[in-house]
Amino acid sequence: MNDLAGLIATDQIQVEITIRLGSTRLTVAELSRLRPDDIVPLDRDMSDGVDICVGDKIIAHGELVAGQDTDNRLCVRILAPANAS
């Protein structure tokens, strides 16, 4: 099996990750009434952090941070793998 690992260039395989903040349910009427500066509450507390997902699978947990070396872009600090919580 170790020979197979050498055949697959994993440094060339890209996966898309999604950062999940939370969710909520709105009716279509409520959604259509949303305006700038409205606040939509989510089902998570600020202290819950975020889930880092590949597809629908949560692979880790993290927290939102401002990136100092990334032109102040929104970033995620990894806190723990999903199986550690």
PDB file of all heavy atoms in Angstrom, residues 4-36:
ATOM      1  N   LEU A   4       1.446   2.626  -3.441  1.00  0.00           N
ATOM      2  CA  LEU A   4       0.317   3.370  -3.996  1.00  0.00           C
ATOM      3  C   LEU A   4       0.370   4.826  -3.568  1.00  0.00           C
ATOM      4  O   LEU A   4       0.083   5.718  -4.357  1.00  0.00           O
ATOM      5  CB  LEU A   4      -1.003   2.735  -3.556  1.00  0.00           C
ATOM      6  CG  LEU A   4      -2.280   3.366  -4.108  1.00  0.00           C
ATOM      7  CD1 LEU A   4      -2.279   3.332  -5.620  1.00  0.00           C
ATOM      8  CD2 LEU A   4      -3.493   2.673  -3.563  1.00  0.00           C
ATOM      9  N   ALA A   5       0.769   5.097  -2.334  1.00  0.00           N
ATOM     10  CA  ALA A   5       0.841   6.476  -1.848  1.00  0.00           C
ATOM     11  C   ALA A   5       1.814   7.293  -2.688  1.00  0.00           C
ATOM     12  O   ALA A   5       1.599   8.480  -2.919  1.00  0.00           O
ATOM     13  CB  ALA A   5       1.253   6.501  -0.378  1.00  0.00           C
ATOM     14  N   GLY A   6       2.874   6.691  -3.165  1.00  0.00           N
ATOM     15  CA  GLY A   6       3.835   7.392  -3.999  1.00  0.00           C
ATOM     16  C   GLY A   6       3.311   7.675  -5.398  1.00  0.00           C
ATOM     17  O   GLY A   6       3.817   8.567  -6.087  1.00  0.00           O
ATOM     18  N   LEU A   7       2.303   6.957  -5.831  1.00  0.00           N
ATOM     19  CA  LEU A   7       1.741   7.141  -7.168  1.00  0.00           C
ATOM     20  C   LEU A   7       0.724   8.274  -7.234  1.00  0.00           C
ATOM     21  O   LEU A   7       0.419   8.779  -8.302  1.00  0.00           O
ATOM     22  CB  LEU A   7       1.064   5.848  -7.642  1.00  0.00           C
ATOM     23  CG  LEU A   7       1.990   4.658  -7.856  1.00  0.00           C
ATOM     24  CD1 LEU A   7       1.161   3.424  -8.192  1.00  0.00           C
ATOM     25  CD2 LEU A   7       3.006   4.948  -8.945  1.00  0.00           C
ATOM     26  N   ILE A   8       0.189   8.666  -6.103  1.00  0.00           N
ATOM     27  CA  ILE A   8      -0.837   9.697  -6.059  1.00  0.00           C
ATOM     28  C   ILE A   8      -0.206  10.993  -5.572  1.00  0.00           C
ATOM     29  O   ILE A   8       0.261  11.075  -4.443  1.00  0.00           O
ATOM     30  CB  ILE A   8      -1.999   9.288  -5.132  1.00  0.00           C
ATOM     31  CG1 ILE A   8      -2.632   7.984  -5.624  1.00  0.00           C
ATOM     32  CG2 ILE A   8      -3.042  10.390  -5.053  1.00  0.00           C
ATOM     33  CD1 ILE A   8      -3.637   7.387  -4.662  1.00  0.00           C
ATOM     34  N   ALA A   9      -0.190  12.004  -6.426  1.00  0.00           N
ATOM     35  CA  ALA A   9       0.410  13.292  -6.078  1.00  0.00           C
ATOM     36  C   ALA A   9      -0.611  14.116  -5.293  1.00  0.00           C
ATOM     37  O   ALA A   9      -1.313  14.960  -5.847  1.00  0.00           O
ATOM     38  CB  ALA A   9       0.857  14.024  -7.332  1.00  0.00           C
ATOM     39  N   THR A  10      -0.703  13.870  -3.998  1.00  0.00           N
ATOM     40  CA  THR A  10      -1.714  14.546  -3.192  1.00  0.00           C
ATOM     41  C   THR A  10      -1.493  16.047  -3.117  1.00  0.00           C
ATOM     42  O   THR A  10      -2.439  16.791  -2.833  1.00  0.00           O
ATOM     43  CB  THR A  10      -1.759  13.970  -1.767  1.00  0.00           C
ATOM     44  OG1 THR A  10      -0.453  14.072  -1.182  1.00  0.00           O
ATOM     45  CG2 THR A  10      -2.197  12.518  -1.784  1.00  0.00           C
ATOM     46  N   ASP A  11      -0.287  16.515  -3.390  1.00  0.00           N
ATOM     47  CA  ASP A  11      -0.059  17.962  -3.374  1.00  0.00           C
ATOM     48  C   ASP A  11      -0.685  18.649  -4.584  1.00  0.00           C
ATOM     49  O   ASP A  11      -0.741  19.873  -4.639  1.00  0.00           O
ATOM     50  CB  ASP A  11       1.429  18.291  -3.264  1.00  0.00           C
ATOM     51  CG  ASP A  11       2.251  17.710  -4.400  1.00  0.00           C
ATOM     52  OD1 ASP A  11       1.793  16.739  -5.037  1.00  0.00           O
ATOM     53  OD2 ASP A  11       3.348  18.228  -4.646  1.00  0.00           O
ATOM     54  N   GLN A  12      -1.195  17.886  -5.535  1.00  0.00           N
ATOM     55  CA  GLN A  12      -1.861  18.433  -6.713  1.00  0.00           C
ATOM     56  C   GLN A  12      -3.384  18.307  -6.641  1.00  0.00           C
ATOM     57  O   GLN A  12      -4.091  18.843  -7.481  1.00  0.00           O
ATOM     58  CB  GLN A  12      -1.361  17.731  -7.984  1.00  0.00           C
ATOM     59  CG  GLN A  12       0.127  17.878  -8.224  1.00  0.00           C
ATOM     60  CD  GLN A  12       0.524  19.325  -8.420  1.00  0.00           C
ATOM     61  OE1 GLN A  12      -0.125  20.064  -9.146  1.00  0.00           O
ATOM     62  NE2 GLN A  12       1.594  19.749  -7.757  1.00  0.00           N
ATOM     63  N   ILE A  13      -3.889  17.589  -5.653  1.00  0.00           N
ATOM     64  CA  ILE A  13      -5.326  17.379  -5.511  1.00  0.00           C
ATOM     65  C   ILE A  13      -5.904  18.514  -4.670  1.00  0.00           C
ATOM     66  O   ILE A  13      -5.460  18.744  -3.550  1.00  0.00           O
ATOM     67  CB  ILE A  13      -5.639  16.032  -4.842  1.00  0.00           C
ATOM     68  CG1 ILE A  13      -5.085  14.888  -5.699  1.00  0.00           C
ATOM     69  CG2 ILE A  13      -7.154  15.880  -4.643  1.00  0.00           C
ATOM     70  CD1 ILE A  13      -5.168  13.540  -5.024  1.00  0.00           C
ATOM     71  N   GLN A  14      -6.880  19.217  -5.217  1.00  0.00           N
ATOM     72  CA  GLN A  14      -7.507  20.317  -4.498  1.00  0.00           C
ATOM     73  C   GLN A  14      -8.909  19.920  -4.051  1.00  0.00           C
ATOM     74  O   GLN A  14      -9.626  19.221  -4.763  1.00  0.00           O
ATOM     75  CB  GLN A  14      -7.601  21.562  -5.380  1.00  0.00           C
ATOM     76  CG  GLN A  14      -6.249  22.125  -5.749  1.00  0.00           C
ATOM     77  CD  GLN A  14      -6.380  23.432  -6.508  1.00  0.00           C
ATOM     78  OE1 GLN A  14      -7.462  23.982  -6.660  1.00  0.00           O
ATOM     79  NE2 GLN A  14      -5.260  23.934  -6.988  1.00  0.00           N
ATOM     80  N   VAL A  15      -9.271  20.346  -2.859  1.00  0.00           N
ATOM     81  CA  VAL A  15     -10.631  20.153  -2.348  1.00  0.00           C
ATOM     82  C   VAL A  15     -11.159  21.513  -1.924  1.00  0.00           C
ATOM     83  O   VAL A  15     -10.400  22.380  -1.496  1.00  0.00           O
ATOM     84  CB  VAL A  15     -10.688  19.159  -1.166  1.00  0.00           C
ATOM     85  CG1 VAL A  15     -10.281  17.773  -1.589  1.00  0.00           C
ATOM     86  CG2 VAL A  15      -9.843  19.634  -0.005  1.00  0.00           C
ATOM     87  N   GLU A  16     -12.427  21.696  -2.077  1.00  0.00           N
ATOM     88  CA  GLU A  16     -13.057  22.945  -1.648  1.00  0.00           C
ATOM     89  C   GLU A  16     -13.557  22.768  -0.226  1.00  0.00           C
ATOM     90  O   GLU A  16     -14.238  21.792   0.085  1.00  0.00           O
ATOM     91  CB  GLU A  16     -14.224  23.297  -2.563  1.00  0.00           C
ATOM     92  CG  GLU A  16     -14.863  24.611  -2.209  1.00  0.00           C
ATOM     93  CD  GLU A  16     -15.896  25.059  -3.227  1.00  0.00           C
ATOM     94  OE1 GLU A  16     -15.746  24.749  -4.415  1.00  0.00           O
ATOM     95  OE2 GLU A  16     -16.846  25.729  -2.810  1.00  0.00           O
ATOM     96  N   ILE A  17     -13.188  23.703   0.635  1.00  0.00           N
ATOM     97  CA  ILE A  17     -13.701  23.665   1.996  1.00  0.00           C
ATOM     98  C   ILE A  17     -14.732  24.776   2.161  1.00  0.00           C
ATOM     99  O   ILE A  17     -14.676  25.797   1.484  1.00  0.00           O
ATOM    100  CB  ILE A  17     -12.593  23.784   3.062  1.00  0.00           C
ATOM    101  CG1 ILE A  17     -11.899  25.142   3.002  1.00  0.00           C
ATOM    102  CG2 ILE A  17     -11.586  22.665   2.924  1.00  0.00           C
ATOM    103  CD1 ILE A  17     -10.999  25.386   4.190  1.00  0.00           C
ATOM    104  N   THR A  18     -15.668  24.532   3.043  1.00  0.00           N
ATOM    105  CA  THR A  18     -16.717  25.489   3.357  1.00  0.00           C
ATOM    106  C   THR A  18     -16.659  25.772   4.846  1.00  0.00           C
ATOM    107  O   THR A  18     -16.476  24.852   5.650  1.00  0.00           O
ATOM    108  CB  THR A  18     -18.097  24.912   2.995  1.00  0.00           C
ATOM    109  OG1 THR A  18     -18.111  24.573   1.611  1.00  0.00           O
ATOM    110  CG2 THR A  18     -19.203  25.905   3.276  1.00  0.00           C
ATOM    111  N   ILE A  19     -16.809  27.031   5.202  1.00  0.00           N
ATOM    112  CA  ILE A  19     -16.857  27.421   6.599  1.00  0.00           C
ATOM    113  C   ILE A  19     -18.315  27.665   6.950  1.00  0.00           C
ATOM    114  O   ILE A  19     -18.964  28.542   6.372  1.00  0.00           O
ATOM    115  CB  ILE A  19     -16.016  28.694   6.853  1.00  0.00           C
ATOM    116  CG1 ILE A  19     -14.603  28.525   6.303  1.00  0.00           C
ATOM    117  CG2 ILE A  19     -16.029  29.041   8.334  1.00  0.00           C
ATOM    118  CD1 ILE A  19     -13.840  27.340   6.822  1.00  0.00           C
ATOM    119  N   ARG A  20     -18.825  26.878   7.875  1.00  0.00           N
ATOM    120  CA  ARG A  20     -20.243  26.974   8.240  1.00  0.00           C
ATOM    121  C   ARG A  20     -20.386  27.794   9.522  1.00  0.00           C
ATOM    122  O   ARG A  20     -19.899  27.411  10.574  1.00  0.00           O
ATOM    123  CB  ARG A  20     -20.828  25.578   8.414  1.00  0.00           C
ATOM    124  CG  ARG A  20     -22.308  25.595   8.580  1.00  0.00           C
ATOM    125  CD  ARG A  20     -22.971  24.264   8.444  1.00  0.00           C
ATOM    126  NE  ARG A  20     -22.126  23.154   8.850  1.00  0.00           N
ATOM    127  CZ  ARG A  20     -22.425  21.891   8.616  1.00  0.00           C
ATOM    128  NH1 ARG A  20     -23.523  21.570   7.971  1.00  0.00           N
ATOM    129  NH2 ARG A  20     -21.627  20.924   9.026  1.00  0.00           N
ATOM    130  N   LEU A  21     -21.085  28.922   9.383  1.00  0.00           N
ATOM    131  CA  LEU A  21     -21.307  29.819  10.514  1.00  0.00           C
ATOM    132  C   LEU A  21     -22.535  29.440  11.324  1.00  0.00           C
ATOM    133  O   LEU A  21     -22.587  29.637  12.526  1.00  0.00           O
ATOM    134  CB  LEU A  21     -21.504  31.255  10.009  1.00  0.00           C
ATOM    135  CG  LEU A  21     -20.370  31.869   9.212  1.00  0.00           C
ATOM    136  CD1 LEU A  21     -20.819  33.172   8.593  1.00  0.00           C
ATOM    137  CD2 LEU A  21     -19.179  32.086  10.114  1.00  0.00           C
ATOM    138  N   GLY A  22     -23.545  28.961  10.660  1.00  0.00           N
ATOM    139  CA  GLY A  22     -24.812  28.643  11.294  1.00  0.00           C
ATOM    140  C   GLY A  22     -25.909  28.721  10.256  1.00  0.00           C
ATOM    141  O   GLY A  22     -25.654  28.955   9.077  1.00  0.00           O
ATOM    142  N   SER A  23     -27.132  28.558  10.702  1.00  0.00           N
ATOM    143  CA  SER A  23     -28.245  28.615   9.756  1.00  0.00           C
ATOM    144  C   SER A  23     -29.489  29.135  10.468  1.00  0.00           C
ATOM    145  O   SER A  23     -29.517  29.268  11.691  1.00  0.00           O
ATOM    146  CB  SER A  23     -28.518  27.232   9.157  1.00  0.00           C
ATOM    147  OG  SER A  23     -28.912  26.333  10.171  1.00  0.00           O
ATOM    148  N   THR A  24     -30.492  29.424   9.677  1.00  0.00           N
ATOM    149  CA  THR A  24     -31.799  29.831  10.184  1.00  0.00           C
ATOM    150  C   THR A  24     -32.832  29.507   9.121  1.00  0.00           C
ATOM    151  O   THR A  24     -32.489  29.207   7.983  1.00  0.00           O
ATOM    152  CB  THR A  24     -31.818  31.336  10.556  1.00  0.00           C
ATOM    153  OG1 THR A  24     -32.985  31.620  11.313  1.00  0.00           O
ATOM    154  CG2 THR A  24     -31.777  32.213   9.330  1.00  0.00           C
ATOM    155  N   ARG A  25     -34.079  29.567   9.490  1.00  0.00           N
ATOM    156  CA  ARG A  25     -35.164  29.353   8.524  1.00  0.00           C
ATOM    157  C   ARG A  25     -36.001  30.609   8.460  1.00  0.00           C
ATOM    158  O   ARG A  25     -36.368  31.181   9.480  1.00  0.00           O
ATOM    159  CB  ARG A  25     -36.048  28.176   8.940  1.00  0.00           C
ATOM    160  CG  ARG A  25     -35.395  26.845   8.729  1.00  0.00           C
ATOM    161  CD  ARG A  25     -36.389  25.732   9.040  1.00  0.00           C
ATOM    162  NE  ARG A  25     -35.836  24.459   8.683  1.00  0.00           N
ATOM    163  CZ  ARG A  25     -36.056  23.838   7.530  1.00  0.00           C
ATOM    164  NH1 ARG A  25     -36.863  24.361   6.646  1.00  0.00           N
ATOM    165  NH2 ARG A  25     -35.511  22.676   7.277  1.00  0.00           N
ATOM    166  N   LEU A  26     -36.302  31.021   7.244  1.00  0.00           N
ATOM    167  CA  LEU A  26     -37.168  32.174   7.004  1.00  0.00           C
ATOM    168  C   LEU A  26     -38.234  31.768   6.006  1.00  0.00           C
ATOM    169  O   LEU A  26     -37.989  30.931   5.138  1.00  0.00           O
ATOM    170  CB  LEU A  26     -36.371  33.345   6.409  1.00  0.00           C
ATOM    171  CG  LEU A  26     -35.233  33.932   7.223  1.00  0.00           C
ATOM    172  CD1 LEU A  26     -34.471  34.959   6.394  1.00  0.00           C
ATOM    173  CD2 LEU A  26     -35.755  34.570   8.487  1.00  0.00           C
ATOM    174  N   THR A  27     -39.383  32.395   6.105  1.00  0.00           N
ATOM    175  CA  THR A  27     -40.375  32.205   5.062  1.00  0.00           C
ATOM    176  C   THR A  27     -39.931  33.035   3.857  1.00  0.00           C
ATOM    177  O   THR A  27     -39.087  33.932   3.973  1.00  0.00           O
ATOM    178  CB  THR A  27     -41.771  32.685   5.517  1.00  0.00           C
ATOM    179  OG1 THR A  27     -41.725  34.093   5.722  1.00  0.00           O
ATOM    180  CG2 THR A  27     -42.216  31.965   6.790  1.00  0.00           C
ATOM    181  N   VAL A  28     -40.515  32.762   2.727  1.00  0.00           N
ATOM    182  CA  VAL A  28     -40.206  33.548   1.529  1.00  0.00           C
ATOM    183  C   VAL A  28     -40.584  35.007   1.758  1.00  0.00           C
ATOM    184  O   VAL A  28     -39.862  35.921   1.350  1.00  0.00           O
ATOM    185  CB  VAL A  28     -40.920  32.959   0.292  1.00  0.00           C
ATOM    186  CG1 VAL A  28     -40.735  33.851  -0.913  1.00  0.00           C
ATOM    187  CG2 VAL A  28     -40.408  31.551   0.005  1.00  0.00           C
ATOM    188  N   ALA A  29     -41.679  35.234   2.444  1.00  0.00           N
ATOM    189  CA  ALA A  29     -42.099  36.612   2.725  1.00  0.00           C
ATOM    190  C   ALA A  29     -41.070  37.319   3.612  1.00  0.00           C
ATOM    191  O   ALA A  29     -40.723  38.476   3.362  1.00  0.00           O
ATOM    192  CB  ALA A  29     -43.470  36.620   3.392  1.00  0.00           C
ATOM    193  N   GLU A  30     -40.571  36.643   4.643  1.00  0.00           N
ATOM    194  CA  GLU A  30     -39.548  37.240   5.512  1.00  0.00           C
ATOM    195  C   GLU A  30     -38.267  37.522   4.725  1.00  0.00           C
ATOM    196  O   GLU A  30     -37.653  38.579   4.883  1.00  0.00           O
ATOM    197  CB  GLU A  30     -39.230  36.313   6.685  1.00  0.00           C
ATOM    198  CG  GLU A  30     -40.362  36.176   7.683  1.00  0.00           C
ATOM    199  CD  GLU A  30     -40.141  35.044   8.665  1.00  0.00           C
ATOM    200  OE1 GLU A  30     -39.562  34.005   8.294  1.00  0.00           O
ATOM    201  OE2 GLU A  30     -40.568  35.212   9.824  1.00  0.00           O
ATOM    202  N   LEU A  31     -37.901  36.588   3.885  1.00  0.00           N
ATOM    203  CA  LEU A  31     -36.701  36.755   3.058  1.00  0.00           C
ATOM    204  C   LEU A  31     -36.845  37.951   2.128  1.00  0.00           C
ATOM    205  O   LEU A  31     -35.922  38.756   1.966  1.00  0.00           O
ATOM    206  CB  LEU A  31     -36.442  35.474   2.261  1.00  0.00           C
ATOM    207  CG  LEU A  31     -35.211  35.433   1.389  1.00  0.00           C
ATOM    208  CD1 LEU A  31     -33.952  35.590   2.223  1.00  0.00           C
ATOM    209  CD2 LEU A  31     -35.166  34.136   0.602  1.00  0.00           C
ATOM    210  N   SER A  32     -38.011  38.121   1.552  1.00  0.00           N
ATOM    211  CA  SER A  32     -38.223  39.221   0.608  1.00  0.00           C
ATOM    212  C   SER A  32     -38.251  40.582   1.303  1.00  0.00           C
ATOM    213  O   SER A  32     -38.051  41.610   0.658  1.00  0.00           O
ATOM    214  CB  SER A  32     -39.515  39.006  -0.190  1.00  0.00           C
ATOM    215  OG  SER A  32     -40.638  39.121   0.648  1.00  0.00           O
ATOM    216  N   ARG A  33     -38.507  40.596   2.611  1.00  0.00           N
ATOM    217  CA  ARG A  33     -38.533  41.856   3.358  1.00  0.00           C
ATOM    218  C   ARG A  33     -37.157  42.275   3.886  1.00  0.00           C
ATOM    219  O   ARG A  33     -37.023  43.358   4.442  1.00  0.00           O
ATOM    220  CB  ARG A  33     -39.513  41.758   4.526  1.00  0.00           C
ATOM    221  CG  ARG A  33     -40.971  41.784   4.103  1.00  0.00           C
ATOM    222  CD  ARG A  33     -41.895  41.970   5.293  1.00  0.00           C
ATOM    223  NE  ARG A  33     -41.809  40.884   6.260  1.00  0.00           N
ATOM    224  CZ  ARG A  33     -42.615  39.820   6.275  1.00  0.00           C
ATOM    225  NH1 ARG A  33     -43.567  39.691   5.372  1.00  0.00           N
ATOM    226  NH2 ARG A  33     -42.479  38.892   7.199  1.00  0.00           N
ATOM    227  N   LEU A  34     -36.139  41.446   3.731  1.00  0.00           N
ATOM    228  CA  LEU A  34     -34.810  41.801   4.245  1.00  0.00           C
ATOM    229  C   LEU A  34     -34.254  43.012   3.514  1.00  0.00           C
ATOM    230  O   LEU A  34     -34.366  43.117   2.287  1.00  0.00           O
ATOM    231  CB  LEU A  34     -33.845  40.625   4.095  1.00  0.00           C
ATOM    232  CG  LEU A  34     -34.077  39.439   5.025  1.00  0.00           C
ATOM    233  CD1 LEU A  34     -33.092  38.326   4.709  1.00  0.00           C
ATOM    234  CD2 LEU A  34     -33.985  39.858   6.477  1.00  0.00           C
ATOM    235  N   ARG A  35     -33.691  43.910   4.268  1.00  0.00           N
ATOM    236  CA  ARG A  35     -33.132  45.155   3.736  1.00  0.00           C
ATOM    237  C   ARG A  35     -31.734  45.356   4.298  1.00  0.00           C
ATOM    238  O   ARG A  35     -31.372  44.743   5.316  1.00  0.00           O
ATOM    239  CB  ARG A  35     -34.018  46.352   4.132  1.00  0.00           C
ATOM    240  CG  ARG A  35     -35.421  46.295   3.570  1.00  0.00           C
ATOM    241  CD  ARG A  35     -35.400  46.451   2.052  1.00  0.00           C
ATOM    242  NE  ARG A  35     -36.720  46.341   1.468  1.00  0.00           N
ATOM    243  CZ  ARG A  35     -37.133  45.295   0.756  1.00  0.00           C
ATOM    244  NH1 ARG A  35     -36.351  44.278   0.542  1.00  0.00           N
ATOM    245  NH2 ARG A  35     -38.342  45.265   0.232  1.00  0.00           N
ATOM    246  N   PRO A  36     -30.948  46.248   3.708  1.00  0.00           N
ATOM    247  CA  PRO A  36     -29.626  46.556   4.261  1.00  0.00           C
ATOM    248  C   PRO A  36     -29.734  46.941   5.740  1.00  0.00           C
ATOM    249  O   PRO A  36     -30.692  47.617   6.145  1.00  0.00           O
ATOM    250  CB  PRO A  36     -29.152  47.738   3.416  1.00  0.00           C
ATOM    251  CG  PRO A  36     -29.869  47.560   2.113  1.00  0.00           C
ATOM    252  CD  PRO A  36     -31.224  47.000   2.487  1.00  0.00           C
TER     253      PRO A  36
END
